[in-house]
Amino acid sequence: MRLPDAVRSNAVLIGTGNYRSPALRDVPAIRGNLTDLTTVLSDPVSGSFPAARCAVVPDPADARTAWRALRDAADAAEDTLLVYFAGHGLLGTRGELYLTMADTDPEELRVTGLEYDVLREAVSQCGADNRIVILDCCFSGRAVPALGTALIQTAIEGTYVLASAPPNGVALAPDGAAHTAFTGELITLLRDGVPEGPELLGLGELYRRLLRTAVRHGLPRPVCSGTGTADLLALARNAATGPTAPQAPRTPKTPRGPSVGHLREPKGALPETSGAFAATTTPFDAPATAPPSPTPARPSRRRALASMAAVAVTGAGGGITAWKVLERQGNSTDAHAGGPTSPSPSTADTHGATANVTPTSSVTTTPKSIGDTSARRMIARTTDIPVGGGLIIAKEKIVVTQPEQGSFHAFRAVCTHSGCPVSAISKGAILCPCHGSTFDMADGSVLGGPATTGLYARQIEIHGDSVMIAADT
């Protein structure tokens, strides 16, 4: 076991805590992550990277800014490259992981987010002997098989990925804390060391300690993947056993918040947090603004687990039933038969907290002549909308459903949780691909969180076989 070669190694730390989009909540603790993690990594006595070789990128303006910093660090690294990211993690329409930048818009994710595959490619092509990727974001566990598999296939040794949450898990940020939950624990280990532990804190040892803490306190379980002997590479000398030297003043230790239902993994119950850790814990993906309800209810644990299980189907490639996505130019229709693999909503029980319900949209089905509807426009034909399914019209940001023959309903096609566009209708539910929220196709109410407010209703009328919407809606 050894530390990185100080003169041939580089670290790049990227963190986005401030967002322009109102759909993404700011995470002030990420600024503390960058400052204090850099301090412990570059500590002259116990650290592993000289301060001059630690590039810090707070609140990158866009994906290109982050990518350029990563590329520069990778090009100059010969012994070890360390890449750290903290911020919101979002899922694309195919379940791919995106890292968010200051200008990221969930509705334009592909062109405003940094797709993890781009980071993976840059790390894979780096000529350093060892590569370390540490991600502290929602769904970060999706990076583990992506990077590990690619490197195994190309026989590249010496790579280690450490993720703060499972593939379908949510990262945590304790309210008012100096750090996010995962990075706070990592900083504590690197700064304080492990009593009676090894002289050097290798990646494998750090992962085992982080996992033990997560299980003990009901936090999302970190995951890791390594090739070769990368887990033996150390990030710091053990401060609890080695020589000591004056260090930067400590920031208050990150409190561990209680586990929140919808943040648990789909499988394996974690122990409840004891009263000693009573700080409020907020997921990275909490709503940027408060929902309309003055006291939004928290989903019940069984409903939350059902929602997480539904998201897992997305990652595993589950089936799709009766849904379409349409974009219209004038009166022409461009129907896309392909699309994201979508989760199947669970029929969770309704005991415990009840989510807010948005009133069902108003629909007029009396046949009328289209000629007398100058204040309206046609957005679809009833034949486009399958019974028991629905139609997402991306250009209009509207979803029209037909739960039963002749019964049509319409809603705004934007998730009320973090502003992501919904992506599919399956088995009676409208699905959000970003964090797994599901909504009833008949009335728009919440079936599974983290959303707590139903989809907003839209007004439509049925004229013959035409679905009409008011021109100013």
Side-chain angles (χ1 to χ4, degrees):
M1 184 177 296
R2 67 175 180 87
L3 292 168
D5 186 327
V7 298
R8 299 170 58 240
S9 300
N10 286 332
V12 56
L13 294 87
I14 304 168
T16 311
N18 296 294
Y19 296 88
R20 299 172 194 164
S21 171
L24 295 175
R25 175 191 176 110
D26 288 346
V27 188
I30 288 176
R31 178 71 64 156
N33 286 4
L34 295 177
T35 299
D36 293 339
L37 185 57
T38 302
T39 297
V40 295
L41 287 175
S42 61
D43 183 271
V45 174
S46 61
S48 50
F49 293 86
R53 288 186 168 269
C54 291
V56 181
V57 188
D59 297 325
D62 49 35
R64 177 177 290 182
T65 299
W67 182 83
R68 284 175 173 171
L70 169 62
R71 179 198 60 191
D72 292 345
D75 288 347
E78 298 177 0
D79 179 72
T80 300
L81 170 68
L82 183 147
V83 180
Y84 168 86
F85 172 81
H88 288 293
L90 298 178
L91 299 182
T93 56
R94 300 182 302 276
E96 67 273 33
L97 175 63
Y98 281 85
L99 310 180
T100 55
M101 306 293 116
D103 74 335
T104 295
D105 185 339
E107 294 192 21
E108 300 176 339
L109 188 57
R110 292 194 66 183
V111 293
T112 60
L114 177 63
E115 186 174 0
Y116 179 74
D117 191 58
V118 174
L119 182 150
R120 179 202 62 77
E121 181 177 338
V123 171
S124 299
Q125 293 176 353
C126 173
D129 296 334
N130 303 286
R131 283 138 299 191
I132 305 166
V133 177
I134 302 176
L135 299 179
D136 189 357
C137 63
C138 298
F139 315 120
S140 54
R142 296 189 177 219
V144 170
L147 185 56
T149 301
L151 291 170
I152 291 172
Q153 290 175 348
T154 56
I156 299 176
E157 295 294 330
T159 299
Y160 194 89
V161 185
L162 178 59
S164 66
N168 299 311
V170 185
L172 299 181
D175 290 347
H179 312 115
T180 60
F182 170 81
T183 299
E185 293 296 337
L186 176 60
I187 290 172
T188 297
L189 284 171
L190 296 176
R191 183 188 60 205
D192 298 347
V194 178
E196 301 180 359
E199 178 185 355
L200 299 177
L201 296 178
L203 291 166
E205 176 70 17
L206 290 170
Y207 168 72
R208 288 186 289 273
R209 297 281 176 172
L210 291 166
L211 177 61
R212 188 179 308 169
T213 299
V215 172
R216 183 184 304 124
H217 298 291
L219 302 173
R221 298 186 186 186
V223 292
C224 70
S225 176
T227 60
T229 58
D231 64 331
L232 297 179
L233 189 69
L235 283 188
R237 298 184 185 278
N238 189 348
T241 60
T244 60
Q247 299 184 10
R250 296 183 181 182
T251 51
K253 188 174 181 180
T254 302
R256 305 182 183 96
S259 178
V260 179
H262 73 269
L263 303 179
R264 290 179 179 272
E265 298 177 54
K267 297 181 180 180
L270 296 178
E272 295 294 338
T273 305
S274 66
F277 301 98
T280 302
T281 304
T282 304
F284 279 24
D285 65 338
T289 58
S293 171
T295 55
R298 189 175 72 183
S300 67
R301 182 174 181 274
R302 289 184 61 187
R303 174 175 295 186
L305 294 180
S307 172
M308 295 303 294
V311 182
V313 177
T314 303
I320 310 174
T321 60
W323 66 275
K324 300 178 182 178
V325 177
L326 265 68
E327 292 182 323
R328 294 187 173 276
Q329 301 294 336
N331 290 330
S332 64
T333 302
D334 178 19
H336 303 278
T341 304
S342 302
S344 300
S346 171
T347 54
D349 65 338
T350 57
H351 74 279
T354 303
N356 298 329
V357 177
T358 301
T360 304
S361 56
S362 174
V363 182
T364 301
T365 58
T366 304
K368 296 181 181 180
S369 169
I370 298 179
D372 64 2
T373 58
S374 58
R376 304 176 181 86
R377 66 180 184 278
M378 185 179 73
I379 59 172
R381 296 194 180 277
T382 56
T383 52
D384 295 330
I385 305 166
V387 177
L391 178 69
I392 298 172
I393 308 171
K395 183 178 180 180
E396 302 284 352
K397 294 185 180 179
I398 189 171
V399 53
V400 182
T401 64
Q402 187 179 190
E404 300 176 354
Q405 183 69 45
S407 176
F408 297 91
H409 307 271
F411 312 95
R412 187 166 186 262
V414 177
C415 179
T416 56
H417 173 236
S418 61
C420 293
V422 299
S423 64
I425 302 101
S426 175
K427 296 184 179 180
I430 301 168
L431 314 172
C432 173
C434 291
H435 301 108
S437 295
T438 56
F439 305 90
D440 192 293
M441 66 180 293
D443 61 14
S445 60
V446 177
L447 293 176
T452 59
T453 303
L455 296 177
Y456 298 114
R458 299 293 298 270
Q459 299 291 326
I460 60 172
E461 294 182 359
I462 305 299
H463 297 268
D465 67 346
S466 299
V467 180
M468 310 291 293
I469 188 170
D472 60 349
T473 299

